[in-house]
mmCIF file of all heavy atoms in Angstrom:
data_model
loop_
_atom_site.group_PDB
_atom_site.id
_atom_site.type_symbol
_atom_site.label_atom_id
_atom_site.label_comp_id
_atom_site.label_asym_id
_atom_site.label_seq_id
_atom_site.Cartn_x
_atom_site.Cartn_y
_atom_site.Cartn_z
ATOM 1 N N ALA A 16 -4.552 -1.311 9.520
ATOM 2 C CA ALA A 16 -4.692 0.097 9.145
ATOM 3 C C ALA A 16 -5.995 0.359 8.381
ATOM 4 O O ALA A 16 -6.347 1.506 8.134
ATOM 5 C CB ALA A 16 -3.492 0.530 8.295
ATOM 6 N N GLY A 17 -6.696 -0.712 7.990
ATOM 7 C CA GLY A 17 -7.957 -0.557 7.266
ATOM 8 C C GLY A 17 -7.803 -0.385 5.772
ATOM 9 O O GLY A 17 -8.769 -0.058 5.080
ATOM 10 N N ALA A 18 -6.611 -0.632 5.253
ATOM 11 C CA ALA A 18 -6.357 -0.430 3.828
ATOM 12 C C ALA A 18 -6.470 -1.709 3.009
ATOM 13 O O ALA A 18 -6.634 -1.650 1.791
ATOM 14 C CB ALA A 18 -4.964 0.173 3.625
ATOM 15 N N TYR A 19 -6.378 -2.860 3.656
ATOM 16 C CA TYR A 19 -6.360 -4.143 2.945
ATOM 17 C C TYR A 19 -7.433 -5.056 3.512
ATOM 18 O O TYR A 19 -7.581 -5.158 4.735
ATOM 19 C CB TYR A 19 -4.976 -4.794 3.095
ATOM 20 C CG TYR A 19 -4.812 -6.124 2.401
ATOM 21 C CD1 TYR A 19 -4.808 -6.201 1.020
ATOM 22 C CD2 TYR A 19 -4.653 -7.296 3.126
ATOM 23 C CE1 TYR A 19 -4.645 -7.410 0.370
ATOM 24 C CE2 TYR A 19 -4.487 -8.514 2.488
ATOM 25 C CZ TYR A 19 -4.487 -8.562 1.101
ATOM 26 O OH TYR A 19 -4.328 -9.759 0.458
ATOM 27 N N HIS A 20 -8.158 -5.704 2.606
ATOM 28 C CA HIS A 20 -9.267 -6.561 3.023
ATOM 29 C C HIS A 20 -9.182 -7.946 2.392
ATOM 30 O O HIS A 20 -10.151 -8.692 2.430
ATOM 31 C CB HIS A 20 -10.601 -5.899 2.685
ATOM 32 C CG HIS A 20 -10.722 -4.517 3.231
ATOM 33 N ND1 HIS A 20 -10.914 -4.261 4.571
ATOM 34 C CD2 HIS A 20 -10.624 -3.308 2.630
ATOM 35 C CE1 HIS A 20 -10.955 -2.952 4.771
ATOM 36 N NE2 HIS A 20 -10.769 -2.350 3.614
ATOM 37 N N GLY A 21 -8.033 -8.288 1.850
ATOM 38 C CA GLY A 21 -7.872 -9.574 1.193
ATOM 39 C C GLY A 21 -7.291 -10.624 2.115
ATOM 40 O O GLY A 21 -7.190 -10.439 3.335
ATOM 41 N N ASP A 22 -6.896 -11.738 1.509
ATOM 42 C CA ASP A 22 -6.278 -12.831 2.257
ATOM 43 C C ASP A 22 -4.860 -12.466 2.669
ATOM 44 O O ASP A 22 -4.133 -11.823 1.918
ATOM 45 C CB ASP A 22 -6.213 -14.103 1.401
ATOM 46 C CG ASP A 22 -7.595 -14.645 1.072
ATOM 47 O OD1 ASP A 22 -8.514 -14.438 1.886
ATOM 48 O OD2 ASP A 22 -7.744 -15.265 0.007
ATOM 49 N N VAL A 23 -4.482 -12.863 3.861
ATOM 50 C CA VAL A 23 -3.109 -12.694 4.330
ATOM 51 C C VAL A 23 -2.359 -13.958 3.918
ATOM 52 O O VAL A 23 -2.319 -14.942 4.641
ATOM 53 C CB VAL A 23 -3.068 -12.460 5.860
ATOM 54 C CG1 VAL A 23 -1.634 -12.323 6.344
ATOM 55 C CG2 VAL A 23 -3.873 -11.226 6.220
ATOM 56 N N ASP A 24 -1.819 -13.905 2.695
ATOM 57 C CA ASP A 24 -1.222 -15.097 2.087
ATOM 58 C C ASP A 24 0.223 -14.909 1.635
ATOM 59 O O ASP A 24 0.822 -15.796 1.055
ATOM 60 C CB ASP A 24 -2.067 -15.558 0.901
ATOM 61 C CG ASP A 24 -2.225 -14.486 -0.176
ATOM 62 O OD1 ASP A 24 -1.552 -13.439 -0.095
ATOM 63 O OD2 ASP A 24 -3.032 -14.698 -1.098
ATOM 64 N N GLY A 25 0.788 -13.726 1.874
ATOM 65 C CA GLY A 25 2.178 -13.493 1.517
ATOM 66 C C GLY A 25 2.416 -13.084 0.074
ATOM 67 O O GLY A 25 3.556 -12.919 -0.343
ATOM 68 N N GLU A 26 1.361 -12.884 -0.689
ATOM 69 C CA GLU A 26 1.491 -12.500 -2.099
ATOM 70 C C GLU A 26 1.382 -10.982 -2.254
ATOM 71 O O GLU A 26 0.445 -10.380 -1.745
ATOM 72 C CB GLU A 26 0.396 -13.170 -2.941
ATOM 73 C CG GLU A 26 0.465 -14.676 -2.953
ATOM 74 C CD GLU A 26 1.671 -15.206 -3.692
ATOM 75 O OE1 GLU A 26 2.064 -14.614 -4.721
ATOM 76 O OE2 GLU A 26 2.240 -16.205 -3.229
ATOM 77 N N TYR A 27 2.336 -10.393 -2.984
ATOM 78 C CA TYR A 27 2.262 -8.954 -3.263
ATOM 79 C C TYR A 27 1.560 -8.803 -4.606
ATOM 80 O O TYR A 27 2.184 -8.618 -5.647
ATOM 81 C CB TYR A 27 3.655 -8.328 -3.303
ATOM 82 C CG TYR A 27 3.635 -6.818 -3.179
ATOM 83 C CD1 TYR A 27 3.854 -6.218 -1.960
ATOM 84 C CD2 TYR A 27 3.388 -6.010 -4.275
ATOM 85 C CE1 TYR A 27 3.843 -4.838 -1.826
ATOM 86 C CE2 TYR A 27 3.371 -4.634 -4.153
ATOM 87 C CZ TYR A 27 3.592 -4.050 -2.937
ATOM 88 O OH TYR A 27 3.570 -2.684 -2.810
ATOM 89 N N ASP A 28 0.234 -8.882 -4.564
ATOM 90 C CA ASP A 28 -0.548 -8.824 -5.786
ATOM 91 C C ASP A 28 -1.121 -7.413 -5.982
ATOM 92 O O ASP A 28 -0.784 -6.480 -5.240
ATOM 93 C CB ASP A 28 -1.648 -9.888 -5.776
ATOM 94 C CG ASP A 28 -2.591 -9.768 -4.583
ATOM 95 O OD1 ASP A 28 -2.587 -8.712 -3.902
ATOM 96 O OD2 ASP A 28 -3.342 -10.727 -4.336
ATOM 97 N N GLN A 29 -1.990 -7.284 -6.957
ATOM 98 C CA GLN A 29 -2.575 -5.979 -7.288
ATOM 99 C C GLN A 29 -3.367 -5.405 -6.118
ATOM 100 O O GLN A 29 -3.356 -4.196 -5.894
ATOM 101 C CB GLN A 29 -3.479 -6.137 -8.527
ATOM 102 C CG GLN A 29 -3.860 -4.832 -9.169
ATOM 103 C CD GLN A 29 -2.720 -4.160 -9.883
ATOM 104 O OE1 GLN A 29 -1.683 -4.759 -10.147
ATOM 105 N NE2 GLN A 29 -2.878 -2.900 -10.205
ATOM 106 N N GLU A 30 -4.027 -6.257 -5.370
ATOM 107 C CA GLU A 30 -4.811 -5.789 -4.227
ATOM 108 C C GLU A 30 -3.910 -5.201 -3.136
ATOM 109 O O GLU A 30 -4.240 -4.185 -2.531
ATOM 110 C CB GLU A 30 -5.656 -6.938 -3.671
ATOM 111 C CG GLU A 30 -6.697 -6.494 -2.696
ATOM 112 C CD GLU A 30 -7.651 -7.602 -2.294
ATOM 113 O OE1 GLU A 30 -7.501 -8.752 -2.763
ATOM 114 O OE2 GLU A 30 -8.540 -7.314 -1.493
ATOM 115 N N VAL A 31 -2.765 -5.828 -2.901
ATOM 116 C CA VAL A 31 -1.811 -5.302 -1.920
ATOM 117 C C VAL A 31 -1.225 -3.994 -2.434
ATOM 118 O O VAL A 31 -1.101 -3.018 -1.683
ATOM 119 C CB VAL A 31 -0.700 -6.329 -1.609
ATOM 120 C CG1 VAL A 31 0.354 -5.723 -0.698
ATOM 121 C CG2 VAL A 31 -1.291 -7.585 -0.985
ATOM 122 N N TRP A 32 -0.885 -3.956 -3.716
ATOM 123 C CA TRP A 32 -0.349 -2.732 -4.320
ATOM 124 C C TRP A 32 -1.327 -1.569 -4.130
ATOM 125 O O TRP A 32 -0.938 -0.473 -3.726
ATOM 126 C CB TRP A 32 -0.058 -2.959 -5.810
ATOM 127 C CG TRP A 32 0.525 -1.769 -6.485
ATOM 128 C CD1 TRP A 32 1.844 -1.428 -6.558
ATOM 129 C CD2 TRP A 32 -0.193 -0.736 -7.179
ATOM 130 N NE1 TRP A 32 1.988 -0.245 -7.254
ATOM 131 C CE2 TRP A 32 0.750 0.193 -7.646
ATOM 132 C CE3 TRP A 32 -1.533 -0.517 -7.451
ATOM 133 C CZ2 TRP A 32 0.389 1.325 -8.364
ATOM 134 C CZ3 TRP A 32 -1.887 0.624 -8.172
ATOM 135 C CH2 TRP A 32 -0.932 1.518 -8.613
ATOM 136 N N ARG A 33 -2.620 -1.834 -4.378
ATOM 137 C CA ARG A 33 -3.638 -0.787 -4.208
ATOM 138 C C ARG A 33 -3.757 -0.367 -2.737
ATOM 139 O O ARG A 33 -3.952 0.813 -2.437
ATOM 140 C CB ARG A 33 -4.991 -1.262 -4.731
ATOM 141 C CG ARG A 33 -5.108 -1.202 -6.241
ATOM 142 C CD ARG A 33 -6.548 -1.376 -6.705
ATOM 143 N NE ARG A 33 -7.101 -2.666 -6.306
ATOM 144 C CZ ARG A 33 -7.053 -3.764 -7.042
ATOM 145 N NH1 ARG A 33 -6.463 -3.746 -8.212
ATOM 146 N NH2 ARG A 33 -7.596 -4.885 -6.595
ATOM 147 N N ALA A 34 -3.642 -1.333 -1.842
ATOM 148 C CA ALA A 34 -3.725 -1.020 -0.409
ATOM 149 C C ALA A 34 -2.551 -0.153 0.023
ATOM 150 O O ALA A 34 -2.728 0.809 0.789
ATOM 151 C CB ALA A 34 -3.769 -2.307 0.407
ATOM 152 N N VAL A 35 -1.353 -0.470 -0.456
ATOM 153 C CA VAL A 35 -0.172 0.347 -0.145
ATOM 154 C C VAL A 35 -0.370 1.756 -0.686
ATOM 155 O O VAL A 35 -0.130 2.750 0.008
ATOM 156 C CB VAL A 35 1.117 -0.291 -0.702
ATOM 157 C CG1 VAL A 35 2.297 0.675 -0.593
ATOM 158 C CG2 VAL A 35 1.433 -1.600 0.024
ATOM 159 N N LYS A 36 -0.849 1.849 -1.907
ATOM 160 C CA LYS A 36 -1.079 3.158 -2.528
ATOM 161 C C LYS A 36 -2.110 3.967 -1.734
ATOM 162 O O LYS A 36 -1.921 5.166 -1.495
ATOM 163 C CB LYS A 36 -1.546 2.959 -3.971
ATOM 164 C CG LYS A 36 -1.718 4.230 -4.738
ATOM 165 C CD LYS A 36 -2.108 3.935 -6.170
ATOM 166 C CE LYS A 36 -2.424 5.221 -6.895
ATOM 167 N NZ LYS A 36 -2.943 4.990 -8.232
ATOM 168 N N SER A 37 -3.185 3.314 -1.304
ATOM 169 C CA SER A 37 -4.204 4.006 -0.503
ATOM 170 C C SER A 37 -3.621 4.480 0.824
ATOM 171 O O SER A 37 -3.843 5.625 1.238
ATOM 172 C CB SER A 37 -5.385 3.075 -0.235
ATOM 173 O OG SER A 37 -6.071 2.786 -1.422
ATOM 174 N N TYR A 38 -2.879 3.596 1.484
ATOM 175 C CA TYR A 38 -2.274 3.956 2.762
ATOM 176 C C TYR A 38 -1.332 5.155 2.591
ATOM 177 O O TYR A 38 -1.344 6.086 3.395
ATOM 178 C CB TYR A 38 -1.532 2.766 3.357
ATOM 179 C CG TYR A 38 -0.911 3.073 4.683
ATOM 180 C CD1 TYR A 38 -1.682 3.102 5.836
ATOM 181 C CD2 TYR A 38 0.436 3.368 4.784
ATOM 182 C CE1 TYR A 38 -1.129 3.419 7.065
ATOM 183 C CE2 TYR A 38 1.010 3.687 6.007
ATOM 184 C CZ TYR A 38 0.223 3.711 7.135
ATOM 185 O OH TYR A 38 0.781 4.038 8.341
ATOM 186 N N GLN A 39 -0.534 5.142 1.538
ATOM 187 C CA GLN A 39 0.382 6.262 1.272
ATOM 188 C C GLN A 39 -0.398 7.559 1.092
ATOM 189 O O GLN A 39 0.020 8.608 1.589
ATOM 190 C CB GLN A 39 1.209 5.983 0.018
ATOM 191 C CG GLN A 39 2.227 4.887 0.203
ATOM 192 C CD GLN A 39 2.846 4.453 -1.104
ATOM 193 O OE1 GLN A 39 2.194 4.440 -2.147
ATOM 194 N NE2 GLN A 39 4.116 4.079 -1.046
ATOM 195 N N SER A 40 -1.518 7.476 0.421
ATOM 196 C CA SER A 40 -2.341 8.664 0.204
ATOM 197 C C SER A 40 -2.927 9.175 1.520
ATOM 198 O O SER A 40 -2.871 10.369 1.812
ATOM 199 C CB SER A 40 -3.460 8.327 -0.786
ATOM 200 O OG SER A 40 -4.324 9.423 -0.943
ATOM 201 N N TRP A 41 -3.465 8.261 2.328
ATOM 202 C CA TRP A 41 -4.068 8.643 3.614
ATOM 203 C C TRP A 41 -3.053 9.289 4.545
ATOM 204 O O TRP A 41 -3.379 10.207 5.285
ATOM 205 C CB TRP A 41 -4.644 7.440 4.332
ATOM 206 C CG TRP A 41 -5.728 6.713 3.616
ATOM 207 C CD1 TRP A 41 -6.505 7.171 2.574
ATOM 208 C CD2 TRP A 41 -6.156 5.380 3.869
ATOM 209 N NE1 TRP A 41 -7.380 6.189 2.180
ATOM 210 C CE2 TRP A 41 -7.197 5.094 2.952
ATOM 211 C CE3 TRP A 41 -5.766 4.405 4.771
ATOM 212 C CZ2 TRP A 41 -7.844 3.860 2.930
ATOM 213 C CZ3 TRP A 41 -6.418 3.183 4.752
ATOM 214 C CH2 TRP A 41 -7.446 2.919 3.840
ATOM 215 N N MET A 42 -1.820 8.771 4.516
ATOM 216 C CA MET A 42 -0.786 9.226 5.446
ATOM 217 C C MET A 42 0.131 10.290 4.835
ATOM 218 O O MET A 42 1.105 10.692 5.454
ATOM 219 C CB MET A 42 0.057 8.030 5.906
ATOM 220 C CG MET A 42 -0.753 6.941 6.609
ATOM 221 S SD MET A 42 -1.609 7.521 8.091
ATOM 222 C CE MET A 42 -0.230 7.707 9.183
ATOM 223 N N TYR A 43 -0.166 10.725 3.617
ATOM 224 C CA TYR A 43 0.622 11.756 2.930
ATOM 225 C C TYR A 43 2.096 11.363 2.795
ATOM 226 O O TYR A 43 2.997 12.189 3.023
ATOM 227 C CB TYR A 43 0.492 13.119 3.624
ATOM 228 C CG TYR A 43 -0.937 13.559 3.774
ATOM 229 C CD1 TYR A 43 -1.603 13.440 4.987
ATOM 230 C CD2 TYR A 43 -1.634 14.054 2.681
ATOM 231 C CE1 TYR A 43 -2.923 13.825 5.121
ATOM 232 C CE2 TYR A 43 -2.961 14.448 2.801
ATOM 233 C CZ TYR A 43 -3.593 14.333 4.020
ATOM 234 O OH TYR A 43 -4.912 14.709 4.142
ATOM 235 N N ILE A 44 2.340 10.114 2.433
ATOM 236 C CA ILE A 44 3.707 9.617 2.264
ATOM 237 C C ILE A 44 4.150 9.901 0.832
ATOM 238 O O ILE A 44 3.526 9.446 -0.120
ATOM 239 C CB ILE A 44 3.782 8.106 2.560
ATOM 240 C CG1 ILE A 44 3.371 7.847 4.003
ATOM 241 C CG2 ILE A 44 5.187 7.571 2.275
ATOM 242 C CD1 ILE A 44 3.096 6.396 4.320
ATOM 243 N N GLU A 45 5.227 10.659 0.698
ATOM 244 C CA GLU A 45 5.711 11.034 -0.618
ATOM 245 C C GLU A 45 7.105 10.508 -0.914
ATOM 246 O O GLU A 45 7.610 10.669 -2.005
ATOM 247 C CB GLU A 45 5.683 12.557 -0.757
ATOM 248 C CG GLU A 45 4.284 13.126 -0.650
ATOM 249 C CD GLU A 45 4.257 14.633 -0.765
ATOM 250 O OE1 GLU A 45 5.331 15.270 -0.751
ATOM 251 O OE2 GLU A 45 3.148 15.176 -0.858
ATOM 252 N N GLY A 46 7.752 9.878 0.036
ATOM 253 C CA GLY A 46 9.134 9.441 -0.154
ATOM 254 C C GLY A 46 9.300 8.180 -0.974
ATOM 255 O O GLY A 46 10.397 7.891 -1.433
ATOM 256 N N ASP A 47 8.225 7.407 -1.161
ATOM 257 C CA ASP A 47 8.272 6.176 -1.946
ATOM 258 C C ASP A 47 7.331 6.313 -3.137
ATOM 259 O O ASP A 47 6.312 6.997 -3.041
ATOM 260 C CB ASP A 47 7.806 4.978 -1.104
ATOM 261 C CG ASP A 47 8.668 4.742 0.119
ATOM 262 O OD1 ASP A 47 9.905 4.862 -0.002
ATOM 263 O OD2 ASP A 47 8.115 4.441 1.187
ATOM 264 N N PRO A 48 7.634 5.642 -4.242
ATOM 265 C CA PRO A 48 6.695 5.658 -5.378
ATOM 266 C C PRO A 48 5.348 5.070 -4.966
ATOM 267 O O PRO A 48 5.282 4.208 -4.079
ATOM 268 C CB PRO A 48 7.379 4.771 -6.418
ATOM 269 C CG PRO A 48 8.828 4.781 -6.047
ATOM 270 C CD PRO A 48 8.860 4.906 -4.548
ATOM 271 N N LYS A 49 4.283 5.529 -5.581
ATOM 272 C CA LYS A 49 2.942 5.052 -5.253
ATOM 273 C C LYS A 49 2.843 3.537 -5.429
ATOM 274 O O LYS A 49 3.236 2.992 -6.441
ATOM 275 C CB LYS A 49 1.890 5.738 -6.130
ATOM 276 C CG LYS A 49 1.828 7.233 -5.924
ATOM 277 C CD LYS A 49 1.444 7.572 -4.498
ATOM 278 C CE LYS A 49 1.392 9.066 -4.284
ATOM 279 N NZ LYS A 49 1.480 9.440 -2.903
ATOM 280 N N GLY A 50 2.347 2.883 -4.397
ATOM 281 C CA GLY A 50 2.165 1.442 -4.432
ATOM 282 C C GLY A 50 3.394 0.631 -4.099
ATOM 283 O O GLY A 50 3.332 -0.589 -4.031
ATOM 284 N N VAL A 51 4.520 1.319 -3.854
ATOM 285 C CA VAL A 51 5.777 0.627 -3.541
ATOM 286 C C VAL A 51 5.997 0.674 -2.031
ATOM 287 O O VAL A 51 5.968 1.739 -1.419
ATOM 288 C CB VAL A 51 6.970 1.280 -4.282
ATOM 289 C CG1 VAL A 51 8.284 0.652 -3.842
ATOM 290 C CG2 VAL A 51 6.788 1.151 -5.783
ATOM 291 N N TYR A 52 6.230 -0.490 -1.450
ATOM 292 C CA TYR A 52 6.456 -0.590 -0.009
ATOM 293 C C TYR A 52 7.924 -0.300 0.283
ATOM 294 O O TYR A 52 8.721 -1.186 0.521
ATOM 295 C CB TYR A 52 6.058 -1.985 0.477
ATOM 296 C CG TYR A 52 6.102 -2.170 1.967
ATOM 297 C CD1 TYR A 52 5.456 -1.290 2.815
ATOM 298 C CD2 TYR A 52 6.781 -3.229 2.521
ATOM 299 C CE1 TYR A 52 5.483 -1.457 4.182
ATOM 300 C CE2 TYR A 52 6.812 -3.419 3.897
ATOM 301 C CZ TYR A 52 6.165 -2.530 4.716
ATOM 302 O OH TYR A 52 6.199 -2.713 6.077
ATOM 303 N N GLY A 53 8.245 0.984 0.264
ATOM 304 C CA GLY A 53 9.613 1.415 0.507
ATOM 305 C C GLY A 53 9.821 1.820 1.953
ATOM 306 O O GLY A 53 8.931 1.669 2.800
ATOM 307 N N PRO A 54 10.991 2.364 2.266
ATOM 308 C CA PRO A 54 11.340 2.665 3.655
ATOM 309 C C PRO A 54 10.431 3.698 4.323
ATOM 310 O O PRO A 54 10.147 3.589 5.517
ATOM 311 C CB PRO A 54 12.780 3.159 3.577
ATOM 312 C CG PRO A 54 13.007 3.548 2.165
ATOM 313 C CD PRO A 54 12.089 2.685 1.346
ATOM 314 N N HIS A 55 9.958 4.677 3.589
ATOM 315 C CA HIS A 55 9.094 5.699 4.180
ATOM 316 C C HIS A 55 7.724 5.114 4.538
ATOM 317 O O HIS A 55 7.174 5.394 5.603
ATOM 318 C CB HIS A 55 8.932 6.887 3.234
ATOM 319 C CG HIS A 55 10.223 7.548 2.896
ATOM 320 N ND1 HIS A 55 10.845 8.436 3.738
ATOM 321 C CD2 HIS A 55 11.032 7.429 1.814
ATOM 322 C CE1 HIS A 55 11.976 8.848 3.194
ATOM 323 N NE2 HIS A 55 12.111 8.241 2.023
ATOM 324 N N THR A 56 7.204 4.304 3.632
ATOM 325 C CA THR A 56 5.914 3.661 3.871
ATOM 326 C C THR A 56 6.024 2.674 5.020
ATOM 327 O O THR A 56 5.155 2.624 5.902
ATOM 328 C CB THR A 56 5.427 2.951 2.600
ATOM 329 O OG1 THR A 56 5.392 3.892 1.520
ATOM 330 C CG2 THR A 56 4.042 2.349 2.790
#
């Protein structure tokens, strides 16, 4: 999706959190808290 540029290592770190938050913003997702990989995201 172009939101994450780090290692694909299975860790939900700050970089992944920021990528989820960015993706939610780009896609106008409001059903999950920012940075949380919930069902809507």
Side-chain angles (χ1 to χ4, degrees):
Y19 180 68
H20 306 287
D22 295 331
V23 179
D24 58 9
E26 297 291 323
Y27 197 97
D28 58 15
Q29 194 71 15
E30 192 172 1
V31 174
W32 182 87
R33 282 193 299 269
V35 170
K36 184 177 174 186
S37 293
Y38 181 78
Q39 290 169 326
S40 176
W41 299 342
M42 301 300 288
Y43 305 102
I44 299 167
E45 298 179 351
D47 299 319
K49 297 298 179 200
V51 174
Y52 186 52
H55 300 280
T56 305

